[in-house]
Coordinates of all heavy atoms in Angstrom, one line a residue:
M1 N 127.6 45.9 -1.2 CA 126.6 45.7 -2.2 C 125.5 46.8 -1.9 O 125.1 46.9 -0.8 CB 126.0 44.3 -2.1 CG 124.8 44.0 -2.9 SD 124.3 42.3 -3.0 CE 124.1 41.8 -1.3
I2 N 125.0 47.5 -2.9 CA 124.0 48.5 -2.8 C 122.7 47.9 -3.3 O 122.6 47.3 -4.3 CB 124.4 49.7 -3.6 CG1 125.6 50.4 -3.0 CG2 123.2 50.7 -3.6 CD1 126.1 51.6 -3.7
E3 N 121.7 48.0 -2.4 CA 120.3 47.5 -2.7 C 119.3 48.3 -2.0 O 119.6 49.1 -1.1 CB 120.2 46.0 -2.4 CG 120.4 45.7 -0.9 CD 120.4 44.2 -0.6 OE1 119.4 43.6 -0.9 OE2 121.4 43.8 -0.1
T4 N 118.0 48.1 -2.4 CA 116.9 48.8 -1.7 C 116.4 47.9 -0.6 O 116.2 46.7 -0.8 CB 115.8 49.0 -2.7 OG1 116.2 49.8 -3.8 CG2 114.6 49.7 -2.1
V5 N 116.3 48.5 0.6 CA 115.9 47.8 1.8 C 114.8 48.6 2.5 O 114.6 49.8 2.3 CB 117.1 47.6 2.8 CG1 118.2 46.7 2.1 CG2 117.7 48.9 3.2
V6 N 114.1 47.8 3.4 CA 113.2 48.4 4.3 C 113.9 48.4 5.6 O 114.4 47.4 6.1 CB 111.8 47.6 4.4 CG1 111.0 48.2 5.5 CG2 111.1 47.6 3.1
A7 N 114.0 49.6 6.3 CA 114.8 49.7 7.5 C 113.9 50.4 8.6 O 113.2 51.3 8.3 CB 116.0 50.5 7.3
L8 N 114.1 49.9 9.8 CA 113.6 50.5 11.0 C 114.7 51.4 11.6 O 115.7 50.9 12.0 CB 113.1 49.5 12.0 CG 112.5 50.0 13.3 CD1 111.4 50.9 13.1 CD2 112.1 48.8 14.2
L9 N 114.4 52.7 11.7 CA 115.4 53.6 12.3 C 115.0 54.0 13.7 O 113.9 54.2 14.0 CB 115.5 54.9 11.4 CG 115.7 54.7 9.9 CD1 115.7 56.1 9.3 CD2 116.9 54.0 9.6
M10 N 116.0 54.1 14.5 CA 115.9 54.7 15.9 C 116.6 56.1 15.8 O 117.8 56.2 15.5 CB 116.5 53.9 17.0 CG 116.2 54.5 18.3 SD 116.8 53.5 19.7 CE 118.5 53.7 19.6
I11 N 115.8 57.2 16.0 CA 116.3 58.5 15.9 C 116.3 59.2 17.3 O 115.3 59.3 17.9 CB 115.5 59.3 14.9 CG1 115.5 58.6 13.5 CG2 116.0 60.8 14.8 CD1 114.5 59.2 12.5
V12 N 117.5 59.6 17.7 CA 117.6 60.2 19.0 C 118.2 61.6 18.8 O 119.3 61.8 18.2 CB 118.6 59.4 19.9 CG1 118.7 60.1 21.3 CG2 118.1 58.0 20.1
N13 N 117.4 62.6 19.2 CA 117.8 64.0 19.1 C 118.2 64.4 17.6 O 119.2 64.9 17.3 CB 119.0 64.4 19.9 CG 118.7 64.3 21.4 OD1 117.6 64.6 21.8 ND2 119.6 63.9 22.2
N14 N 117.3 63.9 16.7 CA 117.4 64.2 15.3 C 118.6 63.6 14.6 O 119.1 64.1 13.6 CB 117.3 65.7 14.9 CG 116.0 66.2 15.3 OD1 115.0 65.6 15.1 ND2 116.0 67.4 15.8
E15 N 119.2 62.5 15.2 CA 120.3 61.8 14.6 C 120.0 60.3 14.6 O 119.5 59.7 15.6 CB 121.5 62.1 15.5 CG 122.8 61.5 15.0 CD 124.0 61.8 15.9 OE1 124.0 62.9 16.6 OE2 125.0 61.0 15.9
I16 N 120.3 59.6 13.5 CA 120.0 58.2 13.4 C 121.1 57.5 14.2 O 122.3 57.6 14.0 CB 120.1 57.7 11.9 CG1 119.0 58.4 11.1 CG2 120.0 56.2 11.9 CD1 119.2 58.1 9.6
K17 N 120.6 56.8 15.3 CA 121.5 56.0 16.2 C 121.6 54.5 15.8 O 122.6 53.9 16.1 CB 121.0 56.2 17.6 CG 121.2 57.6 18.2 CD 122.7 57.9 18.3 CE 122.8 59.3 18.9 NZ 124.2 59.6 19.0
E18 N 120.5 54.0 15.3 CA 120.4 52.6 15.0 C 119.5 52.4 13.8 O 118.6 53.1 13.6 CB 119.9 51.8 16.2 CG 120.0 50.3 16.1 CD 119.6 49.6 17.4 OE1 119.8 50.2 18.5 OE2 119.1 48.5 17.3
H19 N 119.9 51.3 13.0 CA 119.1 51.0 11.8 C 119.1 49.5 11.6 O 120.2 48.8 11.8 CB 119.5 51.7 10.5 CG 121.0 51.8 10.3 ND1 121.8 50.7 10.1 CD2 121.7 52.9 10.4 CE1 123.0 51.1 10.0 NE2 123.0 52.5 10.1
R20 N 118.0 48.9 11.4 CA 117.8 47.4 11.2 C 117.1 47.1 9.9 O 116.0 47.7 9.6 CB 117.0 46.8 12.4 CG 117.6 47.1 13.7 CD 118.7 46.1 14.0 NE 119.3 46.3 15.3 CZ 120.1 45.5 15.9 NH1 120.5 44.4 15.3 NH2 120.7 45.8 17.0
I21 N 117.5 46.1 9.2 CA 116.8 45.7 8.0 C 115.6 44.9 8.4 O 115.7 44.1 9.4 CB 117.7 44.8 7.1 CG1 118.9 45.6 6.6 CG2 116.9 44.1 6.0 CD1 119.9 44.8 5.7
Q22 N 114.5 45.1 7.8 CA 113.2 44.5 8.0 C 112.8 43.7 6.8 O 113.1 44.2 5.7 CB 112.1 45.4 8.4 CG 112.5 46.3 9.7 CD 112.6 45.4 10.9 OE1 111.7 44.6 11.2 NE2 113.7 45.5 11.6
P23 N 112.1 42.6 6.9 CA 111.7 41.8 5.7 C 110.7 42.5 4.9 O 110.6 42.3 3.7 CB 111.2 40.5 6.3 CG 111.0 40.7 7.7 CD 111.8 41.9 8.1
S24 N 109.8 43.3 5.5 CA 108.7 44.0 4.8 C 108.3 45.2 5.5 O 108.6 45.4 6.7 CB 107.5 43.0 4.6 OG 106.9 42.8 5.8
M25 N 107.5 46.1 4.9 CA 107.1 47.3 5.5 C 106.1 47.0 6.6 O 106.1 47.6 7.7 CB 106.4 48.2 4.5 CG 106.1 49.6 5.0 SD 107.4 50.6 5.7 CE 108.1 51.2 4.2
S26 N 105.3 45.9 6.5 CA 104.4 45.6 7.6 C 105.1 45.1 8.8 O 104.7 45.4 9.9 CB 103.3 44.6 7.1 OG 104.0 43.3 6.8
E27 N 106.2 44.3 8.6 CA 107.0 43.9 9.8 C 107.7 45.1 10.4 O 107.8 45.1 11.6 CB 108.0 42.9 9.3 CG 107.4 41.5 9.0 CD 106.9 40.8 10.2 OE1 107.5 40.8 11.3 OE2 105.8 40.2 10.1
C28 N 108.1 46.0 9.6 CA 108.8 47.2 10.1 C 107.8 48.0 11.0 O 108.1 48.5 12.1 CB 109.3 48.1 9.0 SG 110.2 49.5 9.5
L29 N 106.6 48.2 10.5 CA 105.6 49.0 11.2 C 105.2 48.3 12.5 O 105.0 48.9 13.6 CB 104.3 49.3 10.4 CG 104.6 50.2 9.2 CD1 103.4 50.2 8.3 CD2 104.9 51.6 9.7
K30 N 105.2 47.0 12.5 CA 104.9 46.2 13.7 C 106.0 46.4 14.7 O 105.8 46.6 15.9 CB 104.8 44.7 13.4 CG 104.3 43.8 14.5 CD 104.4 42.4 14.2 CE 103.6 41.9 13.1 NZ 103.6 40.5 12.8
G31 N 107.3 46.4 14.3 CA 108.4 46.6 15.2 C 108.4 48.0 15.7 O 108.8 48.3 16.9
K32 N 108.0 49.0 14.9 CA 107.9 50.4 15.3 C 106.9 50.6 16.4 O 107.2 51.2 17.4 CB 107.5 51.3 14.1 CG 107.4 52.7 14.4 CD 106.9 53.5 13.2 CE 106.6 55.0 13.7 NZ 105.9 55.7 12.7
R33 N 105.7 50.0 16.2 CA 104.7 50.1 17.3 C 105.2 49.5 18.6 O 105.0 50.0 19.7 CB 103.4 49.4 16.8 CG 102.6 50.2 15.8 CD 101.2 49.6 15.6 NE 101.3 48.2 15.1 CZ 101.3 47.9 13.9 NH1 101.4 48.8 12.9 NH2 101.3 46.6 13.5
Y34 N 105.8 48.3 18.5 CA 106.3 47.6 19.7 C 107.4 48.5 20.4 O 107.4 48.7 21.6 CB 107.0 46.3 19.3 CG 107.5 45.6 20.5 CD1 106.7 44.8 21.4 CD2 108.9 45.6 20.8 CE1 107.2 44.2 22.5 CE2 109.4 44.9 21.9 CZ 108.5 44.2 22.7 OH 109.0 43.6 23.8
A35 N 108.3 49.1 19.6 CA 109.4 50.0 20.2 C 108.8 51.2 20.8 O 109.2 51.6 21.9 CB 110.4 50.3 19.1
E36 N 107.8 51.8 20.2 CA 107.2 53.0 20.7 C 106.5 52.8 22.0 O 106.4 53.6 22.9 CB 106.3 53.7 19.7 CG 107.0 54.4 18.6 CD 106.1 54.9 17.5 OE1 105.0 54.5 17.4 OE2 106.6 55.8 16.7
R37 N 105.9 51.6 22.2 CA 105.2 51.3 23.4 C 106.1 51.0 24.5 O 105.8 51.2 25.7 CB 104.2 50.1 23.2 CG 103.1 50.4 22.3 CD 102.2 49.2 22.1 NE 101.2 49.4 21.2 CZ 100.7 48.6 20.3 NH1 101.1 47.3 20.3 NH2 99.7 48.9 19.5
S38 N 107.3 50.4 24.2 CA 108.2 50.0 25.3 C 109.2 51.1 25.7 O 109.8 51.0 26.8 CB 108.9 48.7 24.9 OG 109.7 49.0 23.7
E39 N 109.4 52.1 24.9 CA 110.4 53.1 25.2 C 109.7 54.3 25.8 O 108.6 54.7 25.5 CB 111.1 53.6 24.0 CG 111.9 52.4 23.4 CD 113.2 52.8 22.8 OE1 113.6 54.0 22.9 OE2 113.9 52.0 22.3
T40 N 110.4 55.0 26.8 CA 109.8 56.1 27.5 C 110.4 57.4 27.2 O 109.9 58.5 27.6 CB 109.8 55.8 29.0 OG1 111.2 55.7 29.4 CG2 109.0 54.6 29.4
G41 N 111.5 57.4 26.5 CA 112.3 58.7 26.2 C 111.5 59.6 25.3 O 110.9 59.1 24.3
S42 N 111.4 60.9 25.6 CA 110.7 61.8 24.7 C 111.5 62.2 23.5 O 110.9 62.7 22.5 CB 110.3 63.0 25.5 OG 111.4 63.7 26.0
S43 N 112.8 62.1 23.5 CA 113.6 62.5 22.4 C 113.9 61.4 21.4 O 114.6 61.5 20.5 CB 114.9 63.1 22.9 OG 115.7 62.1 23.6
I44 N 113.3 60.2 21.7 CA 113.5 59.0 20.8 C 112.3 58.9 19.8 O 111.1 58.9 20.3 CB 113.6 57.7 21.6 CG1 114.9 57.9 22.5 CG2 113.8 56.5 20.7 CD1 115.0 56.7 23.5
K45 N 112.6 58.8 18.5 CA 111.6 58.5 17.5 C 112.0 57.3 16.8 O 113.1 56.9 16.7 CB 111.5 59.7 16.5 CG 110.8 60.9 17.0 CD 110.6 62.0 15.9 CE 111.2 61.7 14.6 NZ 111.1 62.8 13.6
H46 N 111.0 56.6 16.2 CA 111.2 55.4 15.4 C 110.5 55.7 14.0 O 109.5 56.3 14.0 CB 110.6 54.2 16.0 CG 111.3 53.8 17.2 ND1 110.9 54.3 18.5 CD2 112.4 53.0 17.5 CE1 111.7 53.8 19.4 NE2 112.6 53.0 18.8
Q47 N 111.2 55.3 12.9 CA 110.6 55.5 11.6 C 111.0 54.4 10.7 O 112.1 53.8 10.8 CB 111.3 56.8 11.1 CG 110.8 57.2 9.7 CD 111.4 58.6 9.3 OE1 112.1 59.2 10.0 NE2 111.1 59.0 8.1
C48 N 110.0 54.0 9.8 CA 110.3 53.0 8.8 C 110.5 53.7 7.5 O 109.7 54.6 7.1 CB 109.1 52.1 8.7 SG 108.8 51.0 10.1
I49 N 111.5 53.3 6.8 CA 111.8 53.9 5.5 C 112.2 52.8 4.5 O 112.6 51.7 4.9 CB 113.0 54.9 5.5 CG1 114.3 54.2 5.9 CG2 112.7 56.0 6.4 CD1 115.5 55.1 5.6
K50 N 111.9 53.1 3.2 CA 112.4 52.2 2.1 C 113.4 53.0 1.4 O 113.1 54.1 0.9 CB 111.2 51.8 1.2 CG 111.6 50.8 0.2 CD 110.3 50.4 -0.6 CE 110.7 49.3 -1.5 NZ 109.5 48.8 -2.2
S51 N 114.6 52.6 1.4 CA 115.7 53.4 0.9 C 116.8 52.5 0.3 O 116.9 51.3 0.6 CB 116.3 54.2 2.0 OG 117.4 55.0 1.6
K52 N 117.7 53.1 -0.5 CA 118.9 52.4 -0.9 C 119.9 52.3 0.3 O 120.0 53.3 1.0 CB 119.5 53.0 -2.1 CG 118.7 52.9 -3.4 CD 119.5 53.4 -4.5 CE 118.7 53.2 -5.8 NZ 119.3 53.8 -7.0
A53 N 120.6 51.3 0.3 CA 121.6 51.1 1.4 C 122.8 50.3 1.0 O 122.6 49.4 0.1 CB 121.0 50.5 2.7
E54 N 123.9 50.5 1.5 CA 125.1 49.7 1.3 C 125.0 48.6 2.4 O 125.0 48.9 3.6 CB 126.4 50.5 1.4 CG 127.6 49.7 1.1 CD 128.8 50.6 1.1 OE1 128.8 51.8 0.9 OE2 129.9 50.0 1.4
T55 N 124.9 47.3 2.0 CA 124.8 46.2 2.9 C 126.0 45.3 2.9 O 126.8 45.4 2.0 CB 123.5 45.4 2.6 OG1 123.7 44.8 1.3 CG2 122.3 46.2 2.7
E56 N 126.1 44.6 4.0 CA 127.2 43.6 4.1 C 126.7 42.4 4.8 O 125.7 42.5 5.6 CB 128.4 44.2 4.8 CG 128.1 44.6 6.2 CD 129.3 45.3 6.9 OE1 130.4 45.4 6.3 OE2 129.1 45.8 8.0
F57 N 127.4 41.3 4.7 CA 127.0 40.0 5.4 C 127.9 39.9 6.6 O 129.1 40.2 6.6 CB 127.2 38.8 4.5 CG 126.1 38.7 3.5 CD1 126.3 39.1 2.2 CD2 124.9 38.2 3.8 CE1 125.3 39.0 1.2 CE2 123.9 38.0 2.9 CZ 124.1 38.4 1.6
N58 N 127.3 39.6 7.7 CA 128.0 39.4 9.0 C 128.6 38.0 9.0 O 128.3 37.2 8.1 CB 127.0 39.5 10.2 CG 126.5 40.9 10.3 OD1 127.2 41.9 10.0 ND2 125.2 41.0 10.7
I59 N 129.4 37.7 10.0 CA 130.1 36.4 10.0 C 129.1 35.3 10.2 O 129.4 34.2 9.8 CB 131.2 36.5 11.2 CG1 132.1 35.3 11.0 CG2 130.5 36.4 12.5 CD1 133.4 35.5 11.8
D60 N 128.0 35.6 10.8 CA 127.0 34.5 11.0 C 126.0 34.3 9.8 O 125.1 33.6 9.8 CB 126.1 34.8 12.2 CG 125.3 36.0 12.2 OD1 125.5 36.8 11.2 OD2 124.5 36.3 13.1
G61 N 126.3 35.1 8.7 CA 125.5 35.0 7.5 C 124.3 36.0 7.4 O 123.7 36.0 6.4
S62 N 124.0 36.7 8.5 CA 122.9 37.7 8.4 C 123.4 38.9 7.7 O 124.6 39.2 7.6 CB 122.5 38.0 9.8 OG 123.5 38.6 10.6
K63 N 122.4 39.7 7.2 CA 122.7 40.9 6.4 C 122.5 42.1 7.3 O 121.5 42.2 8.1 CB 121.8 41.0 5.2 CG 122.3 42.0 4.2 CD 121.3 42.1 3.1 CE 121.2 40.9 2.2 NZ 120.3 41.1 1.0
S64 N 123.4 43.1 7.2 CA 123.2 44.3 8.0 C 123.5 45.5 7.1 O 124.1 45.4 6.0 CB 124.1 44.3 9.2 OG 125.5 44.4 8.8
I65 N 123.0 46.7 7.6 CA 123.2 47.9 6.8 C 124.6 48.5 7.2 O 124.8 48.7 8.4 CB 122.1 48.9 7.1 CG1 120.8 48.4 6.7 CG2 122.4 50.3 6.5 CD1 119.6 49.2 7.1
K66 N 125.4 48.8 6.3 CA 126.7 49.4 6.5 C 126.5 50.9 6.4 O 127.1 51.7 7.2 CB 127.7 48.9 5.5 CG 129.1 49.4 5.7 CD 130.0 48.7 4.7 CE 131.5 49.2 4.9 NZ 132.4 48.6 3.9
K67 N 125.7 51.4 5.4 CA 125.5 52.8 5.2 C 124.2 53.1 4.5 O 123.9 52.4 3.5 CB 126.7 53.4 4.4 CG 126.6 54.9 4.2 CD 127.8 55.5 3.5 CE 128.0 55.0 2.1 NZ 129.0 55.7 1.4
L68 N 123.4 54.0 5.0 CA 122.1 54.4 4.3 C 122.5 55.4 3.3 O 123.3 56.3 3.5 CB 121.1 55.0 5.3 CG 120.4 54.0 6.2 CD1 119.6 54.7 7.2 CD2 119.5 53.1 5.4
I69 N 121.8 55.3 2.1 CA 121.9 56.3 1.0 C 120.6 57.0 0.9 O 119.6 56.5 0.3 CB 122.3 55.6 -0.3 CG1 123.6 54.8 -0.1 CG2 122.4 56.6 -1.4 CD1 123.9 53.9 -1.3
L70 N 120.5 58.2 1.6 CA 119.3 59.0 1.6 C 119.3 60.0 0.5 O 120.2 60.8 0.4 CB 119.2 59.7 3.0 CG 119.2 58.7 4.2 CD1 119.2 59.6 5.5 CD2 118.0 57.8 4.2
E71 N 118.3 59.9 -0.4 CA 118.3 60.8 -1.5 C 117.1 61.8 -1.4 O 116.1 61.5 -0.8 CB 118.1 60.0 -2.8 CG 119.3 59.1 -3.0 CD 119.1 58.2 -4.2 OE1 117.9 58.0 -4.7 OE2 120.1 57.7 -4.7

């Protein structure tokens, strides 16, 4: 299913390594601040984006991003 989501991205060496759906932009920014304070790697960046994504439901009923659609 394709929908617009707010996602928190972990970018390592200019490559997206992880992405998580967030309920709102404010929650995403809160998670970004927490991650930036707890990580020490200099090549790791975190970014919040609002983008279209292909999503799927996991076996436990939670929703995850299968593929980001960056335009």
Side-chain angles (χ1 to χ4, degrees):
M1 171 169 59
I2 295 179
E3 61 183 302
T4 301
V5 297
V6 175
L8 176 58
L9 308 178
M10 181 174 76
I11 303 168
V12 180
N13 295 327
N14 296 322
E15 185 178 333
I16 298 172
K17 291 293 185 182
E18 190 173 326
H19 40 68
R20 301 277 178 169
I21 293 177
Q22 301 295 309
S24 66
M25 188 59 80
S26 64
E27 287 292 319
C28 186
L29 292 170
K30 188 188 300 183
K32 177 184 173 194
R33 283 191 301 273
Y34 180 80
E36 286 176 341
R37 289 179 187 145
S38 62
E39 299 217 359
T40 58
S42 61
S43 64
I44 299 173
K45 282 186 358 183
H46 295 88
Q47 183 177 356
C48 292
I49 64 166
K50 187 173 186 177
S51 176
K52 288 186 180 180
E54 187 176 330
T55 60
E56 64 184 355
F57 285 100
N58 297 323
I59 197 162
D60 64 355
S62 63
K63 193 186 294 186
S64 66
I65 297 173
K66 187 174 180 180
K67 180 172 72 171
L68 284 171
I69 302 170
L70 303 172
E71 296 175 340

